Amino acid sequence: MHTLRTPHTQHTPYTLNIGILAHVDAGKTSLTERLLFDSGAIDRLGSVDAGDTRTDDGAIERQRGITIRSAVAAFTAGDTQINLIDTPGHSDFVAEVERALEVLDGAVLLLSAVEGVQARTRVLMRTLRRLRLPTLVFVNKIDRAGARSEALLADVRRRLTPHIVPLTHVDGVGTPAARTRPRPLTAGATAEAIAEVDPGILAALVDGPAPTPDDLAEALAARTADGSLHPLLFGSALGGQGVPELVEALTRLVPRPAPTGADAAPRGTVFAVRPAPGGGRTAYLRLYEGEVTERQRLTFLRREADGRTTEVPGRVTGLEVIGRHGPLTAGNIAALTGFGAVRVGDRLGELTTRSPQFAPPTLETLVRARHPEQSARLRSALLTLADQDPLTHARPAADGSTSLLLYGEVQKEVLAATLAQDFGIDAEFEPSRVRFLERPAGTGEAYEENPWLDGARCFATVGLRVEPGSPGSGAVFTYDTELGALPRAFHQAIEDSVHTALPAGPHEWPVTDCRVVLVRSGFVGPLSTAADFRALTPVVLRRALERAGTRVYEPYHAFELQIPASALAPVTGLLASLGAEFGRTTGGGACWHLTGELAARRVREAELRLPGLTHGEGVWWSRVSGDRALR
């Protein structure tokens, strides 16, 4: 999470947190630069191509010209401070996008007037509509050759959402002289679009009297606020056309958070954690209620995978409120230090069921240090990164390597750069493989009482029962014995050992969606140690899992595919040979749009063969949609 130091705006009474989302290369970072420049927050426009933008300040971001981590910058529009969150467009960093959605008041979804609606654009819109987040659509690059306006509107209504209200026209589209002008709300098509989602306007159009411009403006604001309608504006981030109209629409149509008193208990969400200079962690907190000041004692809450609640106490040793001086107040975002164990998703105040929605990563790789003397430092660095971010899963593997879960191949480059720049470690990654899972097929139980292990007596008794858990529950450990039957250290050793052993089931894949129940326990006076229980528990657990039996599950991707009509037969033949299950097939004429599901292990082959079958014109997008039993 990057923070741009902008002029402080202490006298602006309102704050809006706005996310900028788009398919990669649609111009998100360029739009952020333009908004900051036009408002006076920065004095020079940066360029993605030149690698000198304010929000993409990481070395690999400058090298590749893409945003990797959500960046926060602030500017002022009238009486409103707008915190811009420029999110990644590359699908490898989908988690960065989706965790940011939770803290937004509204969003701007970018389209390119040249490329139009792309696969990832549709996915983002579906997510935004599911969350009912107020969303404006900004069609960028109207001054580029090949740009479209009216034809693009038809494409948006057909492929993205029918519920759009264009607020501007374009003159000279596709030329350097392209300019925007307002489109009146009283235009017939505009009023009809509002009427499709607003009963009051519909009644006025049908029965009369005709709605006034004020009626239409009020309905547009209300339907934008509830996420059922999306104002659309044209413009150019590089040239600046249409950007003032976008800012005005944001401040007018995105509802401001309801004010809360500073005396309320603070309530907020940590949506990003980054290493702090000199060690420690910087947590980015969106506050919904109350107030946070420097040196204040706070306790963050975390719900663990097994349902337990963990407390993370600390004192605020550093507080940088985005765009403002003074304390962190409701509606604003700040960078906090002083909480060494804080993680993404931790809550201030009561735990809620609202959380970012993202699928777990499905690729696994092994990481090794190129120089053996750096192996211990590499493992420590990866575990540190994983501890900060719950979506980075790292665990020790054989031969001194570390197992790491990924969303895609670009993440390897990012991690390699991070390890080199932040930790001074030169790492190498093995080719990625798709990560399968195991789930119990039934119930199994096993126990051992003071057995001999590897020629030594183990003074411990452990009995475990493994049974299927509910889908999505993860691995849950619980007790069917009296908690006082064992010293606390022995109980903890058993629980820790269960969670350490579950990543390798009978088929050597992680075991999930299971309940592991301690059904029998015992110790021998002064002879038993925690080490006895740590040694015995994996043995008993393995036997219980074997008796329960496990099934292997593989991840599946939902895919969307746009291809020229001439490629329909060879592409569908390829997908059928790879075992794809087809969903909707629409289109005809010049192109076809296909949807369906495909095993994750087959996705890479489909991606590699698609360009040859479509003469480079096919557009593929896929995302993890769940898993199925391996056939």
Side-chain angles (χ1 to χ4, degrees):
M1 176 64 63
H2 314 310
T3 304
L4 177 68
R5 295 183 181 275
T6 56
H8 291 289
T9 54
Q10 187 61 37
H11 300 296
T12 53
Y14 304 109
T15 302
L16 288 176
N17 296 292
I18 302 296
I20 302 180
L21 298 90
H23 190 99
V24 67
D25 290 336
K28 300 180 312 303
T29 302
S30 297
L31 178 60
T32 300
E33 291 284 310
R34 171 60 63 178
L35 290 166
L36 296 172
F37 177 76
D38 285 359
S39 65
I42 58 176
D43 57 11
R44 181 178 59 83
L45 274 173
S47 166
V48 173
D49 292 337
D52 61 354
T53 59
R54 306 316 195 265
T55 50
D56 286 350
D57 61 2
I60 193 167
E61 292 177 309
R62 295 187 186 280
Q63 293 163 8
R64 297 183 63 93
I66 61 173
T67 303
I68 291 170
R69 288 179 170 173
S70 299
V72 180
F75 70 93
T76 302
D79 62 354
T80 303
Q81 174 181 311
I82 296 180
N83 292 335
L84 288 177
I85 300 169
D86 178 18
T87 60
H90 199 287
S91 59
D92 278 13
F93 306 100
V94 62
E96 281 282 339
V97 176
E98 298 195 7
R99 75 178 86 188
L101 293 180
E102 184 185 13
V103 302
L104 300 181
D105 300 310
V108 175
L109 180 62
L110 243 66
L111 302 180
S112 166
V114 180
E115 287 82 10
V117 178
Q118 297 172 282
R120 179 153 169 74
T121 317
R122 301 180 65 182
V123 175
L124 289 169
M125 177 58 87
R126 279 203 298 267
T127 303
L128 292 165
R129 288 184 64 81
R130 173 174 57 81
L131 296 174
R132 302 194 72 83
L133 191 67
T135 301
L136 280 64
V137 178
F138 186 75
V139 179
N140 191 26
K141 304 183 182 180
I142 61 169
D143 50 0
R144 288 267 300 275
R148 301 168 294 151
S149 56
E150 296 303 315
L152 181 62
L153 290 178
D155 198 30
V156 169
R157 290 189 176 102
R158 180 174 60 87
R159 298 189 56 217
L160 191 63
T161 173
H163 305 301
I164 59 167
V165 175
L167 300 183
T168 54
H169 285 285
V170 186
D171 295 324
V173 65
T175 71
R179 294 294 182 268
T180 64
R181 54 186 173 86
R183 185 188 301 244
L185 289 179
T186 51
T190 301
E192 290 172 7
I194 298 174
E196 288 182 6
V197 296
D198 190 285
I201 298 300
L202 177 61
L205 287 177
V206 173
D207 303 326
T212 67
D214 287 345
D215 293 334
L216 291 168
E218 182 179 344
L220 175 62
R223 301 289 76 81
T224 302
D226 66 19
S228 58
L229 198 61
H230 307 289
L232 181 146
L233 302 98
F234 290 93
S236 169
L238 290 180
Q241 303 96 306
V243 175
E245 291 82 355
L246 173 64
V247 174
E248 188 275 333
L250 283 171
T251 57
R252 177 168 52 91
L253 298 175
V254 176
R256 295 161 172 168
T260 63
D263 55 347
R267 182 173 63 86
T269 298
V270 174
F271 67 99
V273 175
R274 301 290 180 253
R281 299 179 186 181
T282 298
Y284 287 80
L285 174 70
R286 159 72 194 264
L287 198 66
Y288 301 106
E289 253 184 320
E291 183 177 284
V292 172
T293 61
E294 276 204 78
R295 302 195 59 76
Q296 182 176 352
R297 285 198 171 276
L298 300 173
T299 299
F300 289 93
L301 302 178
R302 177 186 310 149
R303 180 170 286 120
E304 304 288 0
D306 59 5
R308 294 176 300 157
T309 297
T310 298
E311 293 187 351
V312 183
R315 183 191 292 273
V316 180
T317 58
L319 179 69
E320 182 184 349
V321 183
I322 305 298
R324 296 174 181 264
H325 288 298
L328 173 61
T329 54
N332 288 291
I333 293 172
L336 295 157
T337 55
F339 300 85
V342 71
R343 292 183 184 174
V344 171
D346 287 355
R347 309 287 171 142
L348 192 58
E350 293 184 6
L351 287 169
T352 66
T353 56
R354 188 183 178 208
S355 61
Q357 302 294 314
F358 35 74
T362 59
L363 295 179
E364 184 174 23
T365 185
L366 293 178
V367 190
R368 293 183 177 85
R370 293 185 187 275
H371 307 292
E373 66 273 14
Q374 294 183 335
S375 296
R377 288 173 53 207
L378 170 64
R379 179 169 295 183
S380 175
L382 289 172
L383 293 177
T384 296
L385 293 172
D387 191 42
Q388 293 170 7
D389 185 348
L391 293 175
T392 302
H393 300 272
R395 63 182 178 88
D399 304 325
S401 61
T402 301
S403 172
L404 197 66
L405 300 187
L406 304 169
Y407 282 94
E409 296 301 316
V410 175
Q411 281 185 284
K412 287 184 180 179
E413 299 178 38
V414 175
L415 281 167
T418 300
L419 290 168
Q421 294 163 16
D422 296 350
F423 298 92
I425 298 170
D426 188 10
E428 59 182 358
F429 295 77
E430 286 192 0
S432 303
R433 65 170 184 167
V434 174
R435 178 176 180 259
F436 293 3
L437 295 172
E438 296 182 44
R439 292 185 175 93
T443 299
E445 191 170 315
Y447 84 95
E448 288 285 350
E449 182 175 354
N450 303 327
W452 289 83
L453 294 179
D454 296 326
R457 191 66 179 269
C458 185
F459 292 101
T461 298
V462 175
L464 297 173
R465 182 173 68 246
V466 173
E467 55 194 34
S470 57
S473 62
V476 176
F477 178 80
T478 186
Y479 299 91
D480 198 13
T481 59
E482 293 185 14
L483 286 178
L486 282 181
R488 180 176 179 81
F490 296 171
H491 270 295
Q492 193 63 49
I494 295 172
E495 182 173 356
D496 292 345
S497 299
V498 165
H499 288 297
T500 300
L502 284 174
H507 299 282
E508 302 307 323
W509 296 106
V511 181
T512 188
D513 295 346
C514 66
R515 281 170 47 87
V516 180
V517 185
L518 181 64
V519 295
R520 186 168 177 176
S521 62
F523 67 105
V524 180
L527 299 178
S528 297
T529 66
D532 290 326
F533 288 90
R534 283 194 291 268
L536 180 58
T537 298
V539 175
V540 176
L541 178 60
R542 183 83 172 192
R543 192 171 304 154
L545 282 168
E546 290 170 349
R547 290 175 179 174
T550 62
R551 292 195 67 180
V552 177
Y553 291 76
E554 64 174 327
Y556 266 67
H557 280 217
F559 68 82
E560 294 187 20
L561 178 59
Q562 183 176 320
I563 55 174
S566 60
L568 180 62
V571 169
T572 53
L574 166 66
L575 293 173
S577 70
L578 296 177
E581 295 184 6
F582 293 98
R584 294 182 57 194
T585 301
T586 57
C591 70
W592 286 86
H593 183 258
L594 286 68
T595 65
E597 291 195 333
L598 181 65
R601 59 191 164 93
R602 302 289 194 182
V603 167
R604 186 60 178 161
E605 183 177 353
E607 291 175 333
L608 291 175
R609 295 182 60 183
L610 183 65
L613 296 176
T614 64
H615 304 289
E617 297 181 19
V619 179
W620 169 278
W621 176 90
S622 70
R623 175 179 177 166
V624 177
S625 59
D627 56 43
R628 302 183 187 183
L630 185 64
R631 291 179 285 187

